Amino acid sequence: MKIYTKTGDKGETSLFTGQRVPKTDPFIEALGTVDECNSALGTAISFLPESSEIASVREQLEIIQHALFDVGAALATPRTRAATNKLEKTRFDREEIEQLEKWIDKMEAELPPLHAFILPGGHPAGAALHLARSMCRRAERRVLPLYQEADVTDTVLIYLNRLSDYLFSVSRYVNFLVKRPETKWIPHHLKAEG
């Protein structure tokens, strides 16, 4: 099978329903943004140090990468246009959200309390996770209009919202484990006074 099909050469692609849409279609925009987030997660994984402390983070991120493909399948199957059998194949369940919440709670129990805004950065893996978080927030903004039109279930929208919370926590957690201090945001007017 060739990697290029030439079917998208005129700026169209197919949804899982079989419908051809322009690559600027809101569903494709949402799919593309979820893919960007997934790619940023792959980058973060490649930066993770090899250690037993970090092994669980790597495992969680790989589970999330698979879940994001499931999110993509749900986005490629608009609920108002898809047959029931296709909707069933691409159903996205609440268990994925609950898993993220458990992971967040576990990390937050170990992390020092946060009393200020922090700048994205730290270890390269921590910085890449912050980048993935910002892409996840954009994906959530792209999915919201689709949800408002009843084309996407609330579980997809909630998952992306919770995932951005997870990515914030896990970026802090990676920096904590590798002992990289967080940089607190200092408002410009306070820097000028100092």
Side-chain angles (χ1 to χ4, degrees):
M1 182 172 134
K2 289 187 177 182
I3 191 69
Y4 57 90
T5 62
K6 301 185 182 181
T7 58
D9 289 354
K10 297 206 187 301
E12 288 190 342
T13 190
S14 292
L15 296 172
F16 186 53
T17 58
Q19 179 186 8
R20 299 287 295 169
V21 295
K23 291 182 180 180
T24 55
D25 185 270
F27 287 95
I28 305 305
E29 284 289 339
L31 274 164
T33 309
V34 168
D35 186 41
E36 289 173 19
C37 178
N38 207 340
S39 297
L41 287 179
T43 302
I45 291 168
S46 74
F47 288 145
L48 286 173
E50 295 290 338
S51 74
S52 57
E53 286 182 305
I54 298 285
S56 66
V57 170
R58 182 183 310 275
E59 183 181 323
Q60 289 172 14
L61 293 174
E62 288 173 355
I63 289 168
I64 290 166
Q65 284 193 295
H66 286 277
L68 285 176
F69 265 78
D70 293 335
V71 165
L75 289 172
T77 316
R79 297 183 61 73
T80 59
R81 302 181 225 173
T84 305
N85 66 328
K86 294 212 180 212
L87 289 173
E88 190 55 35
K89 281 184 185 177
T90 60
R91 189 181 74 237
F92 192 78
D93 294 324
R94 204 163 283 281
E95 291 89 34
E96 304 285 350
I97 299 164
E98 293 164 359
Q99 182 64 77
L100 288 176
E101 291 171 349
K102 287 177 188 166
W103 290 337
I104 292 168
D105 291 344
K106 187 174 184 308
M107 288 185 290
E108 289 295 320
E110 294 181 47
L111 285 167
L114 196 57
H115 300 292
F117 288 107
I118 58 169
L119 302 181
H123 186 275
L129 289 163
H130 274 293
L131 181 62
R133 174 190 52 78
S134 65
M135 291 174 172
C136 184
R137 284 285 188 214
R138 182 156 38 96
E140 183 183 3
R141 293 191 302 271
R142 296 286 188 268
V143 168
L144 182 57
L146 307 177
Y147 167 73
Q148 290 169 331
E149 294 296 320
D151 269 321
V152 177
T153 63
D154 65 339
T155 52
V156 168
L157 188 64
I158 294 167
Y159 183 80
L160 291 171
N161 185 43
R162 205 68 77 252
L163 178 58
S164 60
D165 296 334
Y166 168 87
L167 291 170
F168 180 77
S169 295
V170 77
S171 62
R172 292 191 67 220
Y173 190 61
V174 166
N175 285 331
F176 173 74
L177 290 177
V178 299
K179 298 180 175 31
R180 286 284 179 101
E182 294 173 320
T183 304
K184 292 179 183 171
W185 170 57
I186 302 169
H188 181 74
H189 69 280
L190 292 181
K191 280 197 278 190
E193 293 170 7

